Amino acid sequence: MTDSAGQRQTSNGLAIVQIPVVRLTPPRQELELHFSQVSYSVKSATKGTKQLLHEVCGQLRSGRLTGVLGPSGAGKTTLLNVLAGFKVNGVSGQFDLNGQPRDLLSFRNMSSYIPQDFEMLSLLTVEETLRVSADLKLPTSTPLEQKQKIIDDIVDILNLQSCRRTLVRSTSGGERKRLSMGIELITNPPVMFFDEPTSGLDSVTSLQVMGYLQRLAHDGRIVVCVVHQPSSNLMRLFDDVLVLAHGELLYAGPQAEMLGCFQQAGYCCPNYYNPADFVLEVGSESSNQRCDALIEQNKDRHSSIKRLHKLIPDEQTALMDSAIDLRPDSVVRPKEQVSFSYQLCVLMKRHLRVMSRNLIAVQMRIIMHVVVALLLGVVYWQIGDDAAKLPSNVACLFFVMLFAFSGNAMPSILLCLQESAIFIREYYNGWYSLNAYYISKVLADLPLQFTCPTLFIGISYFMTGQPPELSRFLMCWAVCIITTFIGHFIGVIAGSLLDMQMSIFIVPASTIPLMLFSGFFIRMRELSWFLRPICDISFFRYIFEGLMRAIYGYDRGHLSCQSEYCHFKSGKQFLKDIDMQGDEFGWDMMVLSLVTLLLLIAFYATLHVSIRRAL
């Protein structure tokens, strides 16, 4: 699949990107971000404190495309995160915006950060993705016509006309890169940071993407991007360059003056040599004392810029002193632009649209529940009223419990893993509040959580010959519904906290042992005394007990016996034998409801942990 961005060939055969003539409104104010003596350190459990940036100095100016270069491990992405305000803990140094100390929260409101792995919902079209961004990032008072015009302008300037109604998963790499730019261009930010925007792209597509970034910069924005190893063609597009090596800044300034500064320090670039390759080779020799001369030379050049304020020892501390909201995430998170109800409405529509197109989440899961219910009905055909087959019917009901749980827990892990990175990015960009996402996520999943178990129990209940009483059917249905909820929330909690491999291991490993204490494999009175408390905390016990009481409790009477001898002809006697006597279905449902409530609270806490962990 190839991009549709236009190109032309020069006389020497080089591909030049042809940028569309459509323009977004340029930012009104020229900006200059000056940073000096910026250091960043992290705490490690094994190595103590490790410093990743060492007193770097430089400046970023609007109207110029700035490239961040350096060998692997030089600290390029770390510097970008610090400059963009996404890293605050462990940061020290001075940040001046137009000669005044930078207010981090205000800066985050006027800037955007596009990471290397910019996650997007793959089952939305390009236009739908931009529409959601416009609905959540623009003020509620913005007319629909103006939103549509902004979307159309972005589609034109990024040359996305041919794929605007294409699902994101079906777009090419270059189109996805340009779409990630478009999502952030909705608010026309004057400052944009890009982490390796050419990663994974071929040379032609990389040139196209960098051409768009140059265009955005020359429209009056600060545009900074990390490029791992640019070609000579890409290098020509940069107006300014930052060269990093082992967390130290060798050079920060115009590209036209870069080679001259290196030459003064004793490094001469050979003729016809790619300047990017040359500075990367120099950076790999940063232990050389001549590199120390480069570092000091860069510090001296930028320290000569007039500073109106003293050095800020810790930017986070300075902000926290004057901040009203002292939560850690409030330091770097802009305020939402739309009301809570509007956030909820937009997120609900997005969740439902994505789910309706998801083969695994909806279509295959519904088909799976129907097929397994039919198979269960065929295997256990009309055994529900036969006293001679009562053990087999109990096994059938245990399978109902097992499938209702596992058939919803495992798919929920995968779905949550796909959305977790997107939620973190959008939350920290101020698209919506945590409460809006949480409520919309819970509500959007309800239709599927009701549909699947209803189809499953509706088919299997009557095919297996369970008692044809509405009250008993409704009790079984209620148990299946709440079992589905429990499985679903355990899946999403694991998917939010852990990676895929760990989640798929932890969920079965932590829940399957609890099935031993459900009352199916061993009667509770036969357990050792120190194991009996586990039965009280195993939710499988209350699920299985609820099913048993729904089928055999509440004065069901004698079962029909199709053999010469039936040991259990009375449902009441059977429940007494397995230690589940008493018509206490309400108690079982109350305990299961409490478990569901605890899982809902745990899911909310899990989202809190996820956003704090991203700081």
Side-chain angles (χ1 to χ4, degrees), residues 367-436:
I367 293 173
M368 176 184 68
H369 278 76
V370 172
V371 170
V372 173
L374 292 172
L375 178 62
L376 190 69
V378 171
V379 172
Y380 294 99
W381 177 259
Q382 298 297 315
I383 67 169
D385 194 44
D386 191 345
K389 299 177 180 178
L390 190 146
S392 296
N393 194 45
V394 173
C396 171
L397 295 172
F398 181 81
F399 181 84
V400 168
M401 174 190 75
L402 178 62
F403 180 77
F405 175 81
S406 60
N408 291 278
M410 305 311 289
S412 296
I413 293 175
L414 301 177
L415 293 176
C416 196
L417 285 169
Q418 294 171 2
E419 296 184 11
S420 182
I422 299 171
F423 159 66
I424 295 296
R425 171 178 59 81
E426 293 177 345
Y427 173 79
Y428 272 114
N429 282 332
W431 288 33
Y432 44 74
S433 66
L434 174 61
N435 292 341

Side-chain angles (χ1 to χ4, degrees), residues 237-509:
L237 299 178
F238 293 125
D239 301 298
D240 295 328
V241 177
L242 305 179
V243 182
L244 275 168
H246 300 292
E248 296 184 294
L249 205 52
L250 305 185
Y251 175 79
Q255 185 195 172
E257 302 174 9
M258 178 182 69
L259 294 182
C261 289
F262 274 75
Q263 189 171 2
Q264 290 179 11
Y267 289 95
C268 297
C269 180
N271 292 332
Y272 312 110
Y273 202 77
N274 182 3
D277 294 336
F278 170 70
V279 297
L280 289 178
E281 291 174 6
V282 174
S284 65
E285 303 174 9
S286 60
S287 59
N288 192 298
Q289 289 191 0
R290 286 181 296 178
C291 279
D292 292 339
L294 272 173
I295 296 168
E296 293 303 321
Q297 180 179 294
N298 182 69
K299 289 181 180 179
D300 292 340
R301 182 167 61 253
H302 289 283
S303 64
S304 64
I305 298 176
K306 184 178 180 181
R307 294 191 297 251
L308 302 177
H309 299 271
K310 295 181 179 180
L311 187 69
I312 300 175
D314 190 321
E315 184 171 12
Q316 183 188 13
T317 303
L319 285 168
M320 294 282 279
D321 289 341
S322 59
I324 297 175
D325 188 353
L326 298 181
R327 296 174 302 164
D329 58 330
S330 68
V331 178
V332 296
R333 184 178 178 273
K335 179 71 175 175
E336 306 96 54
Q337 296 298 311
V338 297
S339 64
F340 176 82
S341 59
Y342 194 75
Q343 295 172 36
L344 196 60
C345 180
V346 173
L347 290 174
M348 281 285 294
K349 289 180 181 177
R350 185 175 73 168
H351 283 313
L352 293 173
R353 182 177 288 125
V354 169
M355 286 183 63
S356 66
R357 296 172 182 170
N358 195 314
L359 186 65
I360 297 178
V362 180
Q363 302 166 26
M364 288 301 296
R365 197 188 294 194
I366 291 176
I367 293 173
M368 176 184 68
H369 278 76
V370 172
V371 170
V372 173
L374 292 172
L375 178 62
L376 190 69
V378 171
V379 172
Y380 294 99
W381 177 259
Q382 298 297 315
I383 67 169
D385 194 44
D386 191 345
K389 299 177 180 178
L390 190 146
S392 296
N393 194 45
V394 173
C396 171
L397 295 172
F398 181 81
F399 181 84
V400 168
M401 174 190 75
L402 178 62
F403 180 77
F405 175 81
S406 60
N408 291 278
M410 305 311 289
S412 296
I413 293 175
L414 301 177
L415 293 176
C416 196
L417 285 169
Q418 294 171 2
E419 296 184 11
S420 182
I422 299 171
F423 159 66
I424 295 296
R425 171 178 59 81
E426 293 177 345
Y427 173 79
Y428 272 114
N429 282 332
W431 288 33
Y432 44 74
S433 66
L434 174 61
N435 292 341
Y437 177 81
Y438 171 76
I439 295 174
S440 67
K441 180 69 176 171
V442 172
L443 294 180
D445 289 334
L446 287 181
L448 191 63
Q449 304 309 318
F450 274 97
T451 302
C452 289
T454 299
L455 289 172
F456 177 68
I457 196 65
I459 295 171
S460 60
Y461 186 92
F462 295 104
M463 287 186 68
T464 55
Q466 306 306 328
E469 301 175 27
L470 180 61
S471 60
R472 296 183 187 276
F473 171 77
L474 290 178
M475 285 191 286
C476 290
W477 174 80
V479 172
C480 283
I481 291 290
I482 205 163
T483 303
T484 298
F485 284 167
I486 292 173
H488 170 69
F489 285 117
I490 287 177
V492 296
I493 289 170
S496 299
L497 278 179
L498 309 169
D499 58 32
M500 182 180 296
Q501 290 183 338
M502 187 61 70
S503 299
I504 292 176
F505 170 77
I506 286 294
V507 170

Side-chain angles (χ1 to χ4, degrees), residues 21 72 93 124 165 176 185 201 353 374 404 413 472 474 553:
V21 296
S72 297
L124 292 180
R165 291 178 177 81
R176 281 194 292 273
L185 279 174
L201 303 180
R353 182 177 288 125
L374 292 172
I413 293 175
R472 296 183 187 276
L474 290 178

Side-chain angles (χ1 to χ4, degrees), residues 20-261:
V21 296
V22 179
R23 287 181 177 272
L24 294 175
T25 304
R28 296 180 179 180
Q29 183 183 11
E30 291 188 3
L31 298 173
E32 181 175 309
L33 176 65
H34 181 263
F35 56 96
S36 61
Q37 304 299 314
V38 173
S39 299
Y40 174 65
S41 57
V42 294
K43 293 182 179 179
S44 172
T46 56
K47 299 181 180 179
T49 301
K50 181 179 180 181
Q51 192 163 352
L52 302 181
L53 295 178
H54 305 267
E55 299 184 349
V56 298
C57 303
Q59 63 181 349
L60 308 173
R61 293 179 289 172
S62 58
R64 300 179 69 83
L65 176 62
T66 302
V68 183
L69 310 179
S72 297
K76 302 185 294 296
T77 299
T78 301
L79 176 61
L80 202 68
N81 287 328
V82 169
L83 293 178
F86 271 90
K87 294 294 184 183
V88 290
N89 294 317
V91 176
S92 63
Q94 180 171 345
F95 299 84
D96 290 334
L97 187 63
N98 286 359
Q100 299 295 323
R102 181 185 70 173
D103 180 89
L104 187 53
L105 191 56
S106 299
F107 184 77
R108 289 283 291 111
N109 273 312
M110 62 188 294
S111 64
S112 65
Y113 181 83
I114 295 88
Q116 178 180 353
D117 298 321
F118 192 90
E119 297 290 343
M120 293 176 280
L121 292 173
S122 60
L123 293 175
L124 292 180
T125 66
V126 169
E127 183 160 7
E128 288 169 348
T129 302
L130 293 173
R131 169 67 64 184
V132 171
S133 177
D135 287 340
L136 292 173
K137 296 180 73 174
L138 297 176
T140 311
S141 58
T142 307
L144 291 177
E145 297 80 9
Q146 185 177 345
K147 289 182 182 179
Q148 187 60 50
K149 185 180 184 304
I150 292 173
I151 292 173
D152 291 340
D153 287 346
I154 290 173
V155 168
D156 288 337
I157 196 173
L158 296 179
N159 210 4
L160 295 171
Q161 298 94 334
S162 62
C163 63
R164 68 186 299 164
R165 291 178 177 81
T166 303
L167 294 180
V168 171
R169 69 179 180 186
S170 301
T171 56
S172 68
E175 288 167 343
R176 281 194 292 273
K177 292 288 185 181
R178 300 203 301 273
L179 176 59
S180 66
M181 299 178 201
I183 290 173
E184 298 301 334
L185 279 174
I186 289 291
T187 53
N188 196 18
V191 185
M192 304 186 75
F193 297 93
F194 296 85
D195 186 14
E196 299 205 24
T198 61
S199 176
L201 303 180
D202 59 70
S203 58
V204 175
T205 308
S206 297
L207 192 61
Q208 293 170 358
V209 170
M210 291 305 300
Y212 288 109
L213 295 185
Q214 185 191 54
R215 166 63 184 281
L216 294 174
H218 289 177
D219 275 348
R221 299 174 183 84
I222 292 178
V223 178
V224 187
C225 59
V226 170
V227 182
H228 183 62
Q229 192 168 7
S231 64
S232 56
N233 283 344
L234 290 183
M235 195 66 181
R236 293 191 189 100
L237 299 178
F238 293 125
D239 301 298
D240 295 328
V241 177
L242 305 179
V243 182
L244 275 168
H246 300 292
E248 296 184 294
L249 205 52
L250 305 185
Y251 175 79
Q255 185 195 172
E257 302 174 9
M258 178 182 69
L259 294 182
C261 289

Side-chain angles (χ1 to χ4, degrees), residues 561-573:
C561 182
Q562 307 296 331
S563 302
E564 294 181 0
Y565 172 75
C566 296
H567 184 70
F568 292 111
K569 292 184 179 181
S570 169
K572 185 177 181 179
Q573 180 62 35

